[in-house]
Amino acid sequence: MSHIPVLLPESVKLLLEAPSLTTGGVVVDATFGGGGHSRALLQESMEKVTVIAVDRDPAAVSRARSLLSEFPSRFRLLTGNYADLSRLLIGIGIEHIDGLLLDIGLSSFQLEDEERGFSFQSDGPLDMRMDPAVGQPAAEIVNRADVRTLTRIFRNFGEEPYAAAIARRIVKQRQEAPLRTTRELAGLVEKMVPAYKSSRRHPATRIFQALRIVVNDELGALTQVLECGLEQLGPGGRMVVIAYHSLEDRIVKRFFRQAARGCVCPPKVPVCVCGCSPRVKILTGRGQRPTDAEIARNPRSRSAVLRAVEAL
Ligand SMILES: C[S@@+](CC[C@H](N)C(=O)[O-])C[C@H]1O[C@@H](n2cnc3c(N)ncnc32)[C@H](O)[C@@H]1O
């Protein structure tokens, strides 16, 4: 099992060329995963750059061992939710950072471990918690939420056109027996979505995405880390975010545009009265995507969009 880092040279270059890192500083990799980005950041930076990695999945800690021994004075790993980034950093005495990387979503380690319940391609318990000690497993939602709630989850977080029909079917099915496994849920969805055989994506893709987002409050955590990450960045520091679906990317794009504009006056107000000034400059225009060669090498990269800003 391994995880191939996505947009690796692009993200590392953007982060290490931050003006505020010229004489050294701190880069936070808030999504350690398999450590691919952390390793490249450590290898390609100078002695005065420290990398602090964060992951909410306790299993990531075991994968950090070799980096901890190779770079004992320049690398640290913290276990926690990046939504709490400020608190995590203050806990180790860091008030300002020069770089922040968010490579959001799941690692291949998580997807391929059937016991975690993230994938409909293998059979496992319907869990989907990134930190197995926090929150309720997906099975709790699937077996307890009413039709309206399930419909809203599948529609809002999976953009699923058959949300209501699938929700009704789940509620009917669980009256006979609760849905406990990924295969049971995927099988049920498969039966509900017409013409699925002709489509490229398995119909359960959207349902699993929706449940995962809710189980881990992924969009809430993203919104929080964007704001607190930007507060933490000193002038000339850079933030790089790699998103894998439109819901995440929309949040990142809007946040960066707003931060670059500064002004929060309604469009109808002819002259700015809010007095807010731009906090960042956008470095990646419409977003950077993997090349065809990268997608061929690593199909999981195909939906990735990288956006980066520099703090002013
Ligand atoms: C796509 S993987 C990162 C892969 C990594 N860049 C690499 O090259 O190996 C995303 C990682 O972020 C972690 N993660 C997702 N949401 C998180 C959150 N709110 N707080 C901390 N870690 C999170 C996941 O547990 C997962 O390990």
Side-chain angles (χ1 to χ4, degrees), residues 3-6 8 29-38 54-57 60 63 80-83 101 103-110 130 216 218 221 244:
H3 177 93
I4 307 174
V6 173
L8 183 70
D29 172 2
T31 48
F32 178 75
H37 284 92
S38 281
V54 177
D55 206 297
R56 76 196 292 188
D57 185 347
R63 292 191 289 271
N81 188 333
Y82 57 52
L101 172 67
D103 175 21
I104 39 193
L106 291 177
S107 70
S108 302
F109 296 103
Q110 292 164 320
M130 289 189 197
N216 297 290
E218 291 183 33
Y244 294 86

Side-chain angles (χ1 to χ4, degrees), residues 147 150-155 160-168 207:
V147 172
L150 287 173
T151 304
R152 188 179 50 77
I153 290 172
F154 299 153
R155 197 171 280 151
E160 171 56 61
Y162 300 100
I166 294 170
R168 281 196 299 273
I207 297 298

Side-chain angles (χ1 to χ4, degrees), residues 35-55:
H37 284 92
S38 281
R39 173 171 289 283
L41 285 165
L42 285 159
Q43 284 171 338
E44 287 173 37
S45 62
M46 48 186 173
E47 278 299 308
K48 285 182 184 153
V49 174
T50 299
V51 174
I52 314 273
V54 177
D55 206 297

Side-chain angles (χ1 to χ4, degrees), residues 9-213:
E10 294 86 347
S11 49
V12 168
K13 185 169 189 290
L14 276 160
L15 286 163
L16 295 184
E17 286 182 356
S20 77
L21 263 189
T22 319
T23 53
V26 175
V27 178
V28 174
D29 172 2
T31 48
F32 178 75
H37 284 92
S38 281
R39 173 171 289 283
L41 285 165
L42 285 159
Q43 284 171 338
E44 287 173 37
S45 62
M46 48 186 173
E47 278 299 308
K48 285 182 184 153
V49 174
T50 299
V51 174
I52 314 273
V54 177
D55 206 297
R56 76 196 292 188
D57 185 347
V61 176
S62 59
R63 292 191 289 271
R65 263 185 223 122
S66 74
L67 280 183
L68 287 165
S69 59
E70 279 173 67
F71 301 93
S73 59
R74 295 209 288 135
F75 177 65
R76 286 189 77 162
L77 176 71
L78 309 174
T79 309
N81 188 333
Y82 57 52
D84 300 325
L85 188 64
S86 310
R87 200 180 46 77
L88 289 169
L89 292 177
I90 286 169
I92 55 167
I94 291 180
E95 283 177 14
H96 294 292
I97 60 176
D98 302 278
L100 173 60
L101 172 67
L102 296 162
D103 175 21
I104 39 193
L106 291 177
S107 70
S108 302
F109 296 103
Q110 292 164 320
L111 262 172
E112 288 164 19
D113 180 351
E114 57 194 36
E115 287 307 310
R116 307 296 297 270
F118 286 111
S119 173
F120 50 82
Q121 278 161 345
S122 51
D123 201 14
L126 265 177
D127 192 314
M128 303 193 192
R129 286 172 294 180
M130 289 189 197
D131 178 350
V134 174
Q136 50 176 355
E140 286 289 305
I141 300 173
V142 167
N143 291 305
R144 283 176 193 267
D146 59 19
V147 172
R148 264 182 67 182
T149 308
L150 287 173
T151 304
R152 188 179 50 77
I153 290 172
F154 299 153
R155 197 171 280 151
N156 292 355
F157 303 119
E159 298 177 315
E160 171 56 61
Y162 300 100
I166 294 170
R168 281 196 299 273
R169 180 62 189 259
I170 287 175
V171 171
K172 189 162 173 238
Q173 177 76 34
R174 75 192 192 200
Q175 282 160 359
E176 287 163 31
L179 286 145
R180 294 272 174 236
T181 69
T182 49
R183 278 266 159 80
E184 283 170 7
L185 178 62
L188 179 148
V189 177
E190 208 175 293
K191 283 192 215 126
M192 294 300 300
V193 177
Y196 124 70
K197 294 248 177 316
S198 59
S199 95
R200 267 179 42 238
R201 287 169 89 196
H202 190 286
T205 312
R206 287 191 285 256
I207 297 298
F208 273 60
Q209 173 188 303
L211 287 169
R212 200 195 90 193
I213 288 177

